[in-house]
Amino acid sequence: MKKVLLVYKSNTGFTKKYANWIKEELSCTSVELKDVQFDDLSKYDIIIFGGGMHANKINGIKFIKSNLELFKNKHIIVFATGATPASAVEVVRKFEDSNIPEGSNIPFFYFQSGMNYKDMRVNDKMMMNCLKLVLKAKKDKDSVEQGTMDAISNSYDNSDRIFIKPLIDHVRGLLA
Ligand SMILES: Cc1cc2nc3c(=O)[nH]c(=O)nc-3n(C[C@H](O)[C@H](O)[C@H](O)COP(=O)(O)O)c2cc1C
């Protein structure tokens, strides 16, 4: 039986929530990125990594990018959570293109989440407030700018367990 490890990095709780749902479905081990024991990784055949989008970069993706050699005989899967609606397929494709190492064939899954100002780091809150001011001041906003403004204005949670199904199906296919 193949062993699955789920590693995640979550600043405001959304990726952690998705990680917990995935863990429940797959009955796998999960660990926060900061607690990963590199000596233990050899025990696992499948490693799933998840992080939140942070200015178009997947939080913690360095864990995958820096360890491609170590992971070469394993199945690696990456997921990201973000405020962008999953229906914005071009934006989500750019997340994949700019974060998943070229030629690695690592499957990428994207789950819409939300914004959590309560648990946000001070620097991130400042960054979002600047972006809000810039967008608010802009006249004749295009649909992307208006959509971004709507997506970052307040705290909200659009996470849904149903979004993880394609990832779960993919992993179950590897386990079969
Ligand atoms: C500073 C900052 C930058 C963000 N950048 C993006 C982004 O580029 N694209 C996106 O879709 N969501 C973006 N978001 C929303 C987060 O990706 C979303 O809340 C994510 O689920 C956070 O995951 P976490 O709570 O596990 O850290 C950003 C949020 C913050 C605070």
Side-chain angles (χ1 to χ4, degrees):
M1 180 71 175
K2 292 193 177 87
K3 287 183 78 178
V4 184
L5 177 68
L6 170 56
V7 179
Y8 65 92
K9 183 162 187 195
S10 185
N11 289 350
T12 67
F14 290 112
T15 309
K16 183 175 185 174
K17 185 195 290 204
Y18 276 106
N20 285 339
W21 283 333
I22 293 166
K23 181 184 174 174
E24 276 175 32
E25 289 290 329
L26 297 174
S27 304
C28 63
T29 306
S30 77
V31 62
E32 276 191 66
L33 179 57
K34 65 177 174 54
D35 297 327
V36 165
Q37 301 285 325
F38 276 77
D39 292 347
D40 282 352
L41 295 178
S42 58
K43 290 194 297 208
Y44 297 94
D45 311 283
I46 301 171
I47 296 179
I48 305 170
F49 174 74
M53 292 309 305
H54 195 272
N56 296 322
K57 186 170 168 270
I58 302 173
N59 191 16
I61 191 66
K62 196 161 170 251
F63 170 65
I64 299 298
K65 287 186 169 175
S66 305
N67 292 299
L68 288 175
E69 186 60 24
L70 184 69
F71 295 156
K72 68 173 186 264
N73 295 321
K74 300 183 190 299
H75 294 281
I76 304 297
I77 294 147
V78 170
F79 74 88
T81 69
T84 301
S87 57
V89 283
E90 285 306 319
V91 180
V92 173
R93 191 167 301 134
K94 279 189 194 144
F95 292 164
E96 176 170 7
D97 290 347
S98 55
N99 283 278
I100 304 298
E102 216 180 328
S104 65
N105 289 325
I106 294 173
F108 172 71
F109 297 86
Y110 175 77
F111 311 134
Q112 192 186 353
S113 56
M115 295 296 290
N116 176 359
Y117 282 97
K118 188 170 75 66
D119 296 321
M120 205 176 280
R121 294 162 180 205
V122 176
N123 284 355
D124 285 348
K125 219 181 265 186
M126 275 163 53
M127 195 200 285
M128 297 319 289
N129 284 336
C130 287
L131 183 57
K132 276 190 224 178
L133 286 175
V134 169
L135 287 171
K136 201 174 167 196
K138 186 147 194 302
K139 294 194 181 96
D140 303 324
K141 287 183 260 301
D142 66 22
S143 59
V144 174
E145 289 160 345
Q146 186 58 52
T148 304
M149 220 174 103
D150 294 343
I152 66 168
S153 293
N154 299 297
S155 291
Y156 62 95
D157 184 358
N158 282 344
S159 321
D160 195 320
R161 188 174 181 137
I162 203 155
F163 298 152
I164 65 172
K165 189 174 181 306
L167 183 150
I168 301 300
D169 290 347
H170 178 84
V171 177
R172 288 202 174 125
L174 297 174
L175 294 171

CSV table of all heavy atoms in Angstrom, one decimal, residues 9-60:
chain,number,residue,atom,x,y,z
A,9,LYS,N,1.3,24.8,4.2
A,9,LYS,CA,1.6,26.0,4.8
A,9,LYS,C,0.4,26.9,4.8
A,9,LYS,O,-0.1,27.1,3.7
A,9,LYS,CB,2.8,26.7,4.1
A,9,LYS,CG,3.3,27.9,4.8
A,9,LYS,CD,4.7,28.3,4.4
A,9,LYS,CE,5.1,29.5,5.3
A,9,LYS,NZ,6.2,30.2,4.8
A,10,SER,N,0.0,27.4,5.9
A,10,SER,CA,-1.2,28.2,6.0
A,10,SER,C,-1.0,29.4,6.9
A,10,SER,O,-0.7,29.2,8.1
A,10,SER,CB,-2.4,27.3,6.5
A,10,SER,OG,-3.6,28.0,6.5
A,11,ASN,N,-1.2,30.6,6.4
A,11,ASN,CA,-1.0,31.8,7.2
A,11,ASN,C,-2.3,32.2,7.9
A,11,ASN,O,-2.3,32.6,9.1
A,11,ASN,CB,-0.6,33.0,6.4
A,11,ASN,CG,0.8,32.8,5.9
A,11,ASN,OD1,1.6,31.9,6.4
A,11,ASN,ND2,1.2,33.7,5.0
A,12,THR,N,-3.5,32.0,7.3
A,12,THR,CA,-4.7,32.5,7.9
A,12,THR,C,-5.8,31.4,8.0
A,12,THR,O,-6.9,31.7,8.3
A,12,THR,CB,-5.3,33.7,7.1
A,12,THR,OG1,-5.7,33.3,5.8
A,12,THR,CG2,-4.3,34.8,6.9
A,13,GLY,N,-5.4,30.1,7.8
A,13,GLY,CA,-6.3,29.0,8.1
A,13,GLY,C,-7.0,28.3,6.9
A,13,GLY,O,-7.5,27.2,7.1
A,14,PHE,N,-7.0,29.0,5.8
A,14,PHE,CA,-7.8,28.4,4.7
A,14,PHE,C,-7.1,27.1,4.2
A,14,PHE,O,-7.8,26.1,4.0
A,14,PHE,CB,-7.9,29.4,3.5
A,14,PHE,CG,-8.8,30.5,3.8
A,14,PHE,CD1,-8.4,31.8,3.9
A,14,PHE,CD2,-10.2,30.3,3.9
A,14,PHE,CE1,-9.2,32.9,4.1
A,14,PHE,CE2,-11.1,31.4,4.2
A,14,PHE,CZ,-10.6,32.7,4.3
A,15,THR,N,-5.8,27.1,3.9
A,15,THR,CA,-5.1,25.9,3.4
A,15,THR,C,-5.2,24.8,4.5
A,15,THR,O,-5.3,23.6,4.1
A,15,THR,CB,-3.7,26.3,3.1
A,15,THR,OG1,-3.7,27.4,2.2
A,15,THR,CG2,-3.0,25.1,2.4
A,16,LYS,N,-5.1,25.2,5.8
A,16,LYS,CA,-5.2,24.2,6.8
A,16,LYS,C,-6.6,23.5,6.8
A,16,LYS,O,-6.7,22.3,7.0
A,16,LYS,CB,-5.0,24.9,8.2
A,16,LYS,CG,-5.0,23.9,9.3
A,16,LYS,CD,-4.7,24.7,10.6
A,16,LYS,CE,-4.6,23.6,11.7
A,16,LYS,NZ,-4.2,24.2,13.0
A,17,LYS,N,-7.6,24.3,6.5
A,17,LYS,CA,-9.0,23.7,6.5
A,17,LYS,C,-9.1,22.7,5.3
A,17,LYS,O,-9.6,21.6,5.5
A,17,LYS,CB,-10.0,24.9,6.2
A,17,LYS,CG,-11.4,24.4,6.3
A,17,LYS,CD,-12.5,25.3,5.7
A,17,LYS,CE,-12.7,26.5,6.5
A,17,LYS,NZ,-14.0,27.1,6.3
A,18,TYR,N,-8.5,23.1,4.1
A,18,TYR,CA,-8.6,22.2,3.0
A,18,TYR,C,-7.7,20.9,3.3
A,18,TYR,O,-8.0,19.8,3.0
A,18,TYR,CB,-8.1,22.9,1.7
A,18,TYR,CG,-9.2,23.6,1.0
A,18,TYR,CD1,-9.2,25.0,1.0
A,18,TYR,CD2,-10.2,22.9,0.3
A,18,TYR,CE1,-10.2,25.7,0.4
A,18,TYR,CE2,-11.2,23.6,-0.3
A,18,TYR,CZ,-11.2,25.0,-0.3
A,18,TYR,OH,-12.2,25.7,-1.0
A,19,ALA,N,-6.5,21.2,4.0
A,19,ALA,CA,-5.6,20.1,4.3
A,19,ALA,C,-6.4,19.1,5.2
A,19,ALA,O,-6.3,17.8,5.1
A,19,ALA,CB,-4.4,20.6,5.0
A,20,ASN,N,-7.2,19.6,6.2
A,20,ASN,CA,-7.9,18.7,7.1
A,20,ASN,C,-8.9,17.9,6.4
A,20,ASN,O,-9.2,16.7,6.7
A,20,ASN,CB,-8.5,19.5,8.2
A,20,ASN,CG,-7.5,20.0,9.2
A,20,ASN,OD1,-6.4,19.4,9.3
A,20,ASN,ND2,-7.8,21.0,10.0
A,21,TRP,N,-9.6,18.5,5.4
A,21,TRP,CA,-10.6,17.8,4.6
A,21,TRP,C,-10.0,16.7,3.8
A,21,TRP,O,-10.5,15.6,3.7
A,21,TRP,CB,-11.4,18.8,3.6
A,21,TRP,CG,-12.4,19.6,4.3
A,21,TRP,CD1,-13.1,19.3,5.4
A,21,TRP,CD2,-12.9,20.9,3.9
A,21,TRP,NE1,-14.0,20.4,5.7
A,21,TRP,CE2,-13.8,21.3,4.8
A,21,TRP,CE3,-12.5,21.7,2.8
A,21,TRP,CZ2,-14.5,22.6,4.6
A,21,TRP,CZ3,-13.2,23.0,2.7
A,21,TRP,CH2,-14.2,23.4,3.6
A,22,ILE,N,-8.8,17.0,3.2
A,22,ILE,CA,-8.1,16.0,2.4
A,22,ILE,C,-7.6,14.9,3.3
A,22,ILE,O,-7.7,13.7,2.9
A,22,ILE,CB,-6.9,16.7,1.6
A,22,ILE,CG1,-7.4,17.7,0.6
A,22,ILE,CG2,-6.0,15.6,1.0
A,22,ILE,CD1,-6.4,18.6,0.0
A,23,LYS,N,-7.1,15.2,4.4
A,23,LYS,CA,-6.6,14.2,5.4
A,23,LYS,C,-7.8,13.3,5.8
A,23,LYS,O,-7.6,12.0,5.8
A,23,LYS,CB,-6.1,14.9,6.6
A,23,LYS,CG,-5.5,14.0,7.7
A,23,LYS,CD,-5.1,14.8,8.9
A,23,LYS,CE,-4.7,13.8,10.0
A,23,LYS,NZ,-4.1,14.4,11.1
A,24,GLU,N,-8.9,13.8,6.0
A,24,GLU,CA,-10.1,13.0,6.4
A,24,GLU,C,-10.5,12.0,5.3
A,24,GLU,O,-10.8,10.9,5.5
A,24,GLU,CB,-11.3,13.9,6.7
A,24,GLU,CG,-11.3,14.4,8.1
A,24,GLU,CD,-12.5,15.4,8.3
A,24,GLU,OE1,-13.6,15.3,7.7
A,24,GLU,OE2,-12.3,16.4,9.1
A,25,GLU,N,-10.5,12.6,4.0
A,25,GLU,CA,-10.8,11.7,2.9
A,25,GLU,C,-9.8,10.6,2.6
A,25,GLU,O,-10.2,9.5,2.3
A,25,GLU,CB,-11.0,12.6,1.6
A,25,GLU,CG,-12.1,13.5,1.5
A,25,GLU,CD,-13.5,12.8,1.4
A,25,GLU,OE1,-13.5,11.7,0.8
A,25,GLU,OE2,-14.5,13.3,1.9
A,26,LEU,N,-8.5,10.9,2.8
A,26,LEU,CA,-7.5,9.9,2.4
A,26,LEU,C,-6.9,9.2,3.6
A,26,LEU,O,-6.1,8.3,3.4
A,26,LEU,CB,-6.4,10.7,1.7
A,26,LEU,CG,-6.7,11.4,0.3
A,26,LEU,CD1,-5.5,12.2,-0.2
A,26,LEU,CD2,-7.1,10.4,-0.7
A,27,SER,N,-7.3,9.6,4.8
A,27,SER,CA,-6.8,9.0,6.0
A,27,SER,C,-5.3,9.0,5.9
A,27,SER,O,-4.6,7.9,6.2
A,27,SER,CB,-7.3,7.5,6.2
A,27,SER,OG,-8.7,7.5,6.2
A,28,CYS,N,-4.7,10.1,5.5
A,28,CYS,CA,-3.2,10.2,5.4
A,28,CYS,C,-2.6,11.0,6.6
A,28,CYS,O,-3.3,11.6,7.3
A,28,CYS,CB,-2.8,10.8,4.1
A,28,CYS,SG,-3.4,12.5,3.9
A,29,THR,N,-1.3,10.9,6.6
A,29,THR,CA,-0.6,11.7,7.6
A,29,THR,C,-0.5,13.2,7.1
A,29,THR,O,-0.3,13.4,5.9
A,29,THR,CB,0.8,11.2,7.8
A,29,THR,OG1,0.7,9.8,8.1
A,29,THR,CG2,1.6,11.9,8.9
A,30,SER,N,-0.7,14.2,8.0
A,30,SER,CA,-0.5,15.5,7.5
A,30,SER,C,0.5,16.3,8.5
A,30,SER,O,0.5,16.0,9.7
A,30,SER,CB,-1.8,16.3,7.4
A,30,SER,OG,-2.3,16.7,8.6
A,31,VAL,N,1.2,17.2,8.0
A,31,VAL,CA,2.2,18.0,8.8
A,31,VAL,C,2.3,19.4,8.2
A,31,VAL,O,2.2,19.6,7.0
A,31,VAL,CB,3.5,17.2,8.8
A,31,VAL,CG1,4.1,17.1,7.4
A,31,VAL,CG2,4.5,17.9,9.8
A,32,GLU,N,2.5,20.3,9.1
A,32,GLU,CA,2.8,21.7,8.7
A,32,GLU,C,4.2,21.7,8.2
A,32,GLU,O,5.1,21.0,8.7
A,32,GLU,CB,2.6,22.7,9.9
A,32,GLU,CG,1.2,23.1,10.1
A,32,GLU,CD,1.2,24.3,11.1
A,32,GLU,OE1,1.7,25.3,10.8
A,32,GLU,OE2,0.6,24.0,12.2
A,33,LEU,N,4.4,22.6,7.1
A,33,LEU,CA,5.7,22.6,6.5
A,33,LEU,C,6.8,22.9,7.5
A,33,LEU,O,7.9,22.2,7.4
A,33,LEU,CB,5.7,23.8,5.4
A,33,LEU,CG,7.0,24.0,4.7
A,33,LEU,CD1,7.4,22.8,4.0
A,33,LEU,CD2,6.8,25.1,3.7
A,34,LYS,N,6.6,23.7,8.5
A,34,LYS,CA,7.6,24.0,9.5
A,34,LYS,C,8.0,22.8,10.3
A,34,LYS,O,9.1,22.8,10.9
A,34,LYS,CB,7.2,25.2,10.3
A,34,LYS,CG,6.1,25.0,11.3
A,34,LYS,CD,5.8,26.2,12.1
A,34,LYS,CE,4.5,26.1,13.0
A,34,LYS,NZ,4.4,24.9,13.8
A,35,ASP,N,7.2,21.8,10.4
A,35,ASP,CA,7.4,20.6,11.2
A,35,ASP,C,7.9,19.4,10.4
A,35,ASP,O,8.1,18.3,11.0
A,35,ASP,CB,6.2,20.3,12.0
A,35,ASP,CG,5.8,21.4,13.0
A,35,ASP,OD1,6.6,22.1,13.5
A,35,ASP,OD2,4.5,21.5,13.2
A,36,VAL,N,8.1,19.6,9.1
A,36,VAL,CA,8.6,18.5,8.3
A,36,VAL,C,9.9,17.9,8.7
A,36,VAL,O,10.9,18.7,8.9
A,36,VAL,CB,8.6,18.9,6.8
A,36,VAL,CG1,9.4,17.8,6.0
A,36,VAL,CG2,7.2,19.1,6.2
A,37,GLN,N,10.0,16.6,8.9
A,37,GLN,CA,11.3,16.0,9.2
A,37,GLN,C,11.8,15.3,7.9
A,37,GLN,O,11.2,14.4,7.4
A,37,GLN,CB,11.0,14.8,10.3
A,37,GLN,CG,10.4,15.3,11.6
A,37,GLN,CD,11.4,16.0,12.5
A,37,GLN,OE1,12.6,15.7,12.5
A,37,GLN,NE2,11.0,17.0,13.2
A,38,PHE,N,12.8,15.9,7.4
A,38,PHE,CA,13.3,15.4,6.1
A,38,PHE,C,13.7,14.0,6.1
A,38,PHE,O,13.5,13.3,5.1
A,38,PHE,CB,14.4,16.3,5.6
A,38,PHE,CG,13.9,17.5,4.9
A,38,PHE,CD1,13.4,18.6,5.6
A,38,PHE,CD2,13.8,17.6,3.5
A,38,PHE,CE1,12.8,19.7,5.0
A,38,PHE,CE2,13.2,18.7,2.8
A,38,PHE,CZ,12.8,19.8,3.6
A,39,ASP,N,14.2,13.4,7.2
A,39,ASP,CA,14.5,12.0,7.3
A,39,ASP,C,13.3,11.1,7.1
A,39,ASP,O,13.5,10.0,6.7
A,39,ASP,CB,15.2,11.7,8.7
A,39,ASP,CG,16.5,12.4,8.8
A,39,ASP,OD1,17.0,12.9,7.7
A,39,ASP,OD2,17.1,12.5,9.9
A,40,ASP,N,12.1,11.6,7.5
A,40,ASP,CA,10.9,10.8,7.4
A,40,ASP,C,10.3,10.7,6.0
A,40,ASP,O,9.5,9.8,5.7
A,40,ASP,CB,9.8,11.4,8.3
A,40,ASP,CG,10.0,11.1,9.7
A,40,ASP,OD1,10.9,10.3,10.0
A,40,ASP,OD2,9.3,11.7,10.6
A,41,LEU,N,10.8,11.6,5.1
A,41,LEU,CA,10.1,11.7,3.8
A,41,LEU,C,10.3,10.5,3.0
A,41,LEU,O,9.4,10.1,2.1
A,41,LEU,CB,10.6,13.0,3.0
A,41,LEU,CG,10.3,14.3,3.6
A,41,LEU,CD1,10.9,15.4,2.8
A,41,LEU,CD2,8.8,14.5,3.7
A,42,SER,N,11.4,9.7,3.2
A,42,SER,CA,11.6,8.5,2.4
A,42,SER,C,10.6,7.5,2.6
A,42,SER,O,10.4,6.6,1.8
A,42,SER,CB,13.0,8.0,2.7
A,42,SER,OG,13.1,7.7,4.1
A,43,LYS,N,9.8,7.6,3.7
A,43,LYS,CA,8.8,6.6,4.0
A,43,LYS,C,7.6,6.7,3.1
A,43,LYS,O,6.7,5.8,3.0
A,43,LYS,CB,8.2,6.8,5.4
A,43,LYS,CG,9.2,6.4,6.5
A,43,LYS,CD,8.6,6.3,7.9
A,43,LYS,CE,8.0,7.6,8.4
A,43,LYS,NZ,7.9,7.8,9.8
A,44,TYR,N,7.4,7.9,2.4
A,44,TYR,CA,6.2,8.2,1.7
A,44,TYR,C,6.4,8.0,0.1
A,44,TYR,O,7.4,8.4,-0.4
A,44,TYR,CB,5.7,9.6,2.0
A,44,TYR,CG,5.4,9.7,3.5
A,44,TYR,CD1,6.3,10.1,4.4
A,44,TYR,CD2,4.1,9.2,3.9
A,44,TYR,CE1,6.0,10.2,5.7
A,44,TYR,CE2,3.8,9.3,5.3
A,44,TYR,CZ,4.7,9.8,6.2
A,44,TYR,OH,4.4,9.8,7.5
A,45,ASP,N,5.3,7.5,-0.5
A,45,ASP,CA,5.4,7.3,-2.0
A,45,ASP,C,4.7,8.5,-2.7
A,45,ASP,O,5.0,8.8,-3.8
A,45,ASP,CB,4.6,6.1,-2.4
A,45,ASP,CG,5.0,4.9,-1.5
A,45,ASP,OD1,6.1,4.3,-1.8
A,45,ASP,OD2,4.3,4.5,-0.6
A,46,ILE,N,3.8,9.1,-2.0
A,46,ILE,CA,3.0,10.3,-2.5
A,46,ILE,C,3.1,11.4,-1.6
A,46,ILE,O,2.8,11.3,-0.4
A,46,ILE,CB,1.5,9.9,-2.7
A,46,ILE,CG1,1.4,8.6,-3.6
A,46,ILE,CG2,0.7,11.0,-3.2
A,46,ILE,CD1,0.0,8.0,-3.7
A,47,ILE,N,3.5,12.6,-2.1
A,47,ILE,CA,3.6,13.8,-1.2
A,47,ILE,C,2.7,14.8,-1.8
A,47,ILE,O,2.8,15.2,-3.0
A,47,ILE,CB,5.0,14.3,-1.0
A,47,ILE,CG1,5.8,13.3,-0.3
A,47,ILE,CG2,5.0,15.6,-0.3
A,47,ILE,CD1,7.3,13.6,-0.1
A,48,ILE,N,1.7,15.3,-1.0
A,48,ILE,CA,0.8,16.4,-1.5
A,48,ILE,C,1.3,17.6,-0.7
A,48,ILE,O,1.5,17.6,0.5
A,48,ILE,CB,-0.6,16.1,-1.1
A,48,ILE,CG1,-1.1,14.7,-1.6
A,48,ILE,CG2,-1.6,17.2,-1.5
A,48,ILE,CD1,-2.4,14.2,-1.0
A,49,PHE,N,1.5,18.7,-1.5
A,49,PHE,CA,1.8,20.0,-0.9
A,49,PHE,C,0.8,21.0,-1.1
A,49,PHE,O,0.3,21.2,-2.3
A,49,PHE,CB,3.2,20.5,-1.3
A,49,PHE,CG,3.5,21.9,-0.7
A,49,PHE,CD1,3.8,22.0,0.6
A,49,PHE,CD2,3.3,23.0,-1.5
A,49,PHE,CE1,3.9,23.3,1.2
A,49,PHE,CE2,3.4,24.3,-1.0
A,49,PHE,CZ,3.8,24.4,0.4
A,50,GLY,N,0.4,21.8,-0.1
A,50,GLY,CA,-0.6,22.8,-0.3
A,50,GLY,C,-0.2,24.1,0.3
A,50,GLY,O,0.4,24.1,1.4
A,51,GLY,N,-0.5,25.3,-0.3
A,51,GLY,CA,-0.2,26.6,0.3
A,51,GLY,C,-1.2,27.6,-0.3
A,51,GLY,O,-1.8,27.4,-1.4
A,52,GLY,N,-1.3,28.7,0.4
A,52,GLY,CA,-2.2,29.8,-0.1
A,52,GLY,C,-1.5,30.7,-1.1
A,52,GLY,O,-0.2,30.8,-1.1
A,53,MET,N,-2.2,31.3,-2.0
A,53,MET,CA,-1.6,32.2,-3.0
A,53,MET,C,-1.2,33.5,-2.3
A,53,MET,O,-2.0,34.0,-1.5
A,53,MET,CB,-2.7,32.5,-4.1
A,53,MET,CG,-3.0,31.4,-5.1
A,53,MET,SD,-1.6,30.5,-5.8
A,53,MET,CE,-0.7,31.8,-6.6
A,54,HIS,N,-0.1,34.0,-2.6
A,54,HIS,CA,0.5,35.2,-2.0
A,54,HIS,C,1.1,36.0,-3.1
A,54,HIS,O,2.2,35.7,-3.5
A,54,HIS,CB,1.5,34.8,-0.9
A,54,HIS,CG,1.8,35.9,0.0
A,54,HIS,ND1,2.8,36.8,-0.2
A,54,HIS,CD2,1.2,36.2,1.2
A,54,HIS,CE1,2.9,37.6,0.8
A,54,HIS,NE2,1.9,37.3,1.7
A,55,ALA,N,0.4,37.0,-3.6
A,55,ALA,CA,0.9,37.8,-4.7
A,55,ALA,C,1.4,36.9,-5.8
A,55,ALA,O,2.5,37.0,-6.3
A,55,ALA,CB,2.0,38.8,-4.2
A,56,ASN,N,0.5,36.0,-6.2
A,56,ASN,CA,0.7,35.1,-7.4
A,56,ASN,C,1.7,34.0,-7.1
A,56,ASN,O,2.0,33.2,-8.1
A,56,ASN,CB,1.1,35.9,-8.7
A,56,ASN,CG,-0.1,36.8,-9.1
A,56,ASN,OD1,-1.2,36.4,-9.0
A,56,ASN,ND2,0.3,38.0,-9.6
A,57,LYS,N,2.2,33.9,-5.9
A,57,LYS,CA,3.1,32.8,-5.6
A,57,LYS,C,2.5,31.9,-4.6
A,57,LYS,O,1.8,32.4,-3.7
A,57,LYS,CB,4.4,33.5,-5.0
A,57,LYS,CG,5.5,32.5,-4.8
A,57,LYS,CD,6.8,33.2,-4.4
A,57,LYS,CE,7.8,32.3,-3.9
A,57,LYS,NZ,7.8,32.1,-2.5
A,58,ILE,N,2.7,30.6,-4.7
A,58,ILE,CA,2.2,29.7,-3.7
A,58,ILE,C,3.1,29.7,-2.5
A,58,ILE,O,4.3,29.4,-2.6
A,58,ILE,CB,2.1,28.2,-4.3
A,58,ILE,CG1,1.2,28.2,-5.6
A,58,ILE,CG2,1.5,27.3,-3.2
A,58,ILE,CD1,1.3,26.8,-6.3
A,59,ASN,N,2.5,30.0,-1.4
A,59,ASN,CA,3.2,30.1,-0.1
A,59,ASN,C,3.9,28.8,0.2
A,59,ASN,O,3.2,27.8,0.3
A,59,ASN,CB,2.1,30.5,1.0
A,59,ASN,CG,2.7,30.8,2.3
A,59,ASN,OD1,3.9,31.1,2.4
A,59,ASN,ND2,1.9,30.9,3.3
A,60,GLY,N,5.2,28.8,0.3
A,60,GLY,CA,5.9,27.6,0.7
A,60,GLY,C,6.3,26.7,-0.5
A,60,GLY,O,6.9,25.6,-0.3
